[in-house]
Structures are given as structure tokens and as C-alpha cells.
Amino acid sequence: MTVETFNPKQTTTLETPKKVLAEQAKQGQEVLVEGGNRIGFISLGCPKNLVDSERILTQLRTEGYDVVNTYNDADLVIVNTCGFIDSAVQESLDTIGEALAENGKVIVTGCLGVKEDEIREVHPNVLAITGPHAYETVVEQVHDFLPKPEHNPFVNLVPDHGVKLTPRHFAYLKISEGCNHRCTFCIIPSMRGDLVSRPVGEVLDEAKRLQAAGVRELLVISQDTSAYGVDVKNRTGFWNGVPVKTGMTELCEKLGEMGIWVRLHYVYPYPSVDKVIPLMAAGKILPYLDIPLQHASPRILKLMKRPAAAERTKERIKAWREVCPELVIRSTFIVGFPGETEEDFQMLLDFLDEAQLDRVGCFKYSDVDGAKANELPDPVSEELKQERYERFMQKQQQISTAKLAKRIGLEMDVLIDEVDEEGAIGRTYADAPEIDGVVYLNGDTELKAGDLVKVRIEHSDEYDLWGTRVELL
């Protein structure tokens, strides 16, 4: 869905990891061995959490543990939790409770793990708890309750790129941990710490392994992609014997040489982003930016402690589009932030009209335990939040509908994600998996996931496109 509809049950959890875990377990059933070494794994939360799950599973699979997809088959269950918003916290607590009820042996990790007292108050019987990106500790905890199995390298094969929780044709590439910003509505720094950039050579090595394994799209993620390398003062690293600076531009230049789709997420509109736009215009990386702007009112942005101003952002977007007219921008916004007046909200609507963003999501503000925004005066009523949310969504749906209608008649490259009895479903460069729209190829059942095809666009609605295959690329 291109323009998300938030409801109290919505969380940040992706559906793809659940599907891939089930498929991996199904494929491995014929080699499972009795002996108390079966791990059930549940990955909640955002793509950054998904990468943490992949690293934990890679180490466990390397040591010979099997991954299963039912509570009854598992000798122990690991729940990688999310704690970003209240609904995500509740989803995590509910999932832990379900795992305890169905299996009884549960290890908890992830963002909610930093609140061990809160977890144990609800679920005192969990075996162990850790916070995010505690890969080694989680594996050690598994050793405490499930001894290492006898490893058979001919049965327990782990590919060079590790265990992935995405389909074979796309993967998330996490380039850093943590964040140096202190936005008042966010508690990520208290969970994941300050910015720590991965060595550029290590990131590029991983990207190359993924490409060799058949990945056709890399989704670059972090808490603040634009700040990559700032913590190490953009020091020079090495890759393939060549010096490469640790920075977003230099990283994108090297990724752009690999001949696959490269998509940037969680990008703040710093001046440094200006240097990446020419790479997009030249076709080196996808002309797509995911920029979490959150609001447009200067007063609200100041209360949020956001690192950008709306006017400068509009000027920057205009300049980017002059360099790269095909540029697609997605963003997320918060309505009903404490102190938001009708004037502030109207500024946000006006910004949508002027900026003409392609993909937009909206969340109604809710208190997050530990966030500074909880202390701000003049909270907005739930009724007014809902009313503003609906007006915001209506405005953006009109923009989205008009933008997608302009694609009718164009021929666009489409990466196929799935094929069923009704046809194929894929995405253009303008669509990130799970958060944006899709392209339907009704009746085209001969394709397979990972195919790249040229498609003539024939129909559109508020969110999605329909088309017919022209050729297989």
C-alpha cells in the first residue's frame, strides 16, 4: 500500500520475515535430526531488526542448530522484539506470551529488551533477555539452554552471505547502528546508542556476497543513512585494495558499480545528499529517497528537535528534481503532536501540496514510554488527531492518484516479487517492498520471483499500477 492507513493495531513489523522463515523451515524438514537443537524464531519490527535476526540465525545455523516454524517442533523460541511505538510494544509482549504458552522456553532480544523490568513484570518466566544487536550474547544464551549440536557440515550448510529473511532477489544492507539525534518523540538512541558506522570495506564485502548470491536489489538502511561515516570523521578504508572513504556518497559510488538496484532508506535531507543525486541521474543507484520528514511547521519541528527545516527541505527537493527529474521521494509524518495547532497542521497540508511527494505515510502521535515529548504541554485530543489524520490522508491520496496516473502508457522496469495463479506482482524503482505500491501483471503466471521485466503501464489507482509484460530483461 502506497499511503499507509494507521490504526491502533498497526506496528512496524514486516510480513516478509515470517513468510521466509516458514519457507526455510519447510525446505529443511527433510534434514532435521532429533536431539534438542531446534530453534523457533520470531522476528518483529523494522528492517533494522530484521538484519539483527539474520545475524543471529546465521550464527545458530553455522553451529548446526535447525530453525523450525511451529512452537511444537521447537526446543526453544527466540523472540526479536520491537519497542518503537506503543502498539509495537504490545505486539511484542503478546508474542512473548503466546510463545511461553505454546512452548514454555523463550529467549527475548531486540529493542524492547532494554526494558527488562517491563518484560519480566508481564512475563517473569522468560529464560533470558537482551537488548538490540546483542548477537553474541543471544547465541551464548542459547548454549546455556540448548547445548551445541554435533555439527555436520554436509547437512548444515550456510551460504557465504548468511541466513537471509528476505526473498533471494532483495536484501537489506545495514551500514550503521544507533543515532546521534535526540528527537523528542523517539527512544531509539536509548535502545541502540549513538551512531556507529560499519567499516566501509565490510559493508561492500557484504554487498558483493549478496550480489553473488543472486540479490538484484539492495535496500540500504540505518537509523540515519546520511550520517554514515560522521562518527569516524569519514576515515579512509580499503576495499579490493583500493582506498574508499567512509561516507554515504563514496559508498553509493561503489554500490552503483555492482549493476544491481540500490535503494536508500532513512535519509535525512543534509547538504551531503546533494552529491548522491547525480548518481541517481546517471542510473548508478535508484532515483528513490526515503526521508522521514515528520512535519512541516517550524514550531513543531523545533519541539520535535528535528535536524531540518521545511523551507530548506522544499528548496533542496526542487534542486534535486532539477538534477534528476525521475526522483521519487517517500516520507512519513506525525499528526497530533503535542502543541500542534490548526495553523501548524495547515502548514503540513500546504507542504504536501507544494512538495508533491510520491509516497507518504502518516501516524497519529502517541506517547512512547521514555520519550521527552510526553512532557510537552497542550496534548491534542484523540478525536482531533483522527480528524487531522483523515484530512492528511485524503490530501496525499489525491496527490498519489495524480502522480500514478501520469505513468499510464510508460514502459517501466519491474522486479517481480511473487507469482500465483492470478499472475505476477512486482515493483518499479519507485516502490520499496511492503511500504509502497506494487505493479500487477494479471494472468502472467510464467514469471518467477526475481525476474526483471519491462512492463507497459495500462492502469492505476491511488496506490498501485497494472500493466502487461513487454519483455524479460
Side-chain angles (χ1 to χ4, degrees), residues 161 164 171-173 205-215 218:
H161 60 276
K164 307 306 293 182
Y172 293 98
L173 181 68
D205 280 342
E206 181 179 351
K208 199 66 180 176
R209 288 194 301 271
L210 290 168
Q211 180 200 28
V215 167
L218 286 175

Side-chain angles (χ1 to χ4, degrees), residues 216 416 447-448 450-454 469-473:
R216 303 192 74 164
I416 302 301
L447 294 170
K448 61 182 184 297
D451 281 344
L452 187 64
V453 296
K454 182 79 71 176
R469 177 177 23 142
V470 176
E471 64 176 311
L472 181 65
L473 301 175

Side-chain angles (χ1 to χ4, degrees), residues 227-271:
Y228 176 66
V230 169
D231 56 314
V232 294
K233 296 181 171 59
N234 301 112
R235 70 183 172 210
T236 300
F238 287 89
W239 185 60
N240 288 345
V242 177
V244 183
K245 279 191 174 183
T246 307
M248 184 177 71
T249 303
E250 293 77 11
L251 176 64
C252 288
E253 287 174 347
K254 291 301 179 184
L255 292 175
E257 295 172 2
M258 295 186 183
I260 57 179
W261 284 12
V262 176
R263 188 183 302 276
L264 301 182
H265 285 277
Y266 315 116
V267 177
Y268 284 85
Y270 303 145

Side-chain angles (χ1 to χ4, degrees), residues 106-207:
V106 178
I107 289 176
V108 175
T109 187
C111 289
L112 189 59
V114 299
K115 300 179 180 179
E116 181 169 354
D117 292 345
E118 182 176 331
I119 295 172
R120 290 203 179 277
E121 182 179 348
V122 181
H123 302 300
N125 295 326
V126 295
L127 299 176
I129 300 174
T130 58
H133 52 84
Y135 323 119
E136 295 86 356
T137 304
V138 174
V139 174
E140 290 170 3
Q141 291 170 347
V142 171
H143 295 163
D144 291 339
F145 299 101
L146 291 184
K148 280 188 182 182
E150 183 177 342
H151 182 53
N152 183 343
F154 297 102
V155 173
N156 300 300
L157 296 175
V158 177
D160 290 341
H161 60 276
V163 175
K164 307 306 293 182
L165 296 181
T166 50
R168 183 173 179 265
H169 61 282
F170 73 80
Y172 293 98
L173 181 68
K174 185 157 65 168
I175 62 175
S176 64
E177 291 285 0
C179 182
N180 288 341
H181 299 300
R182 294 297 182 266
C183 302
T184 57
F185 57 82
C186 181
I187 57 173
I188 291 297
S190 66
M191 293 178 172
R192 292 183 173 263
D194 289 336
L195 175 72
V196 179
S197 299
R198 292 177 63 194
V200 67
E202 180 183 306
V203 173
L204 289 168
D205 280 342
E206 181 179 351

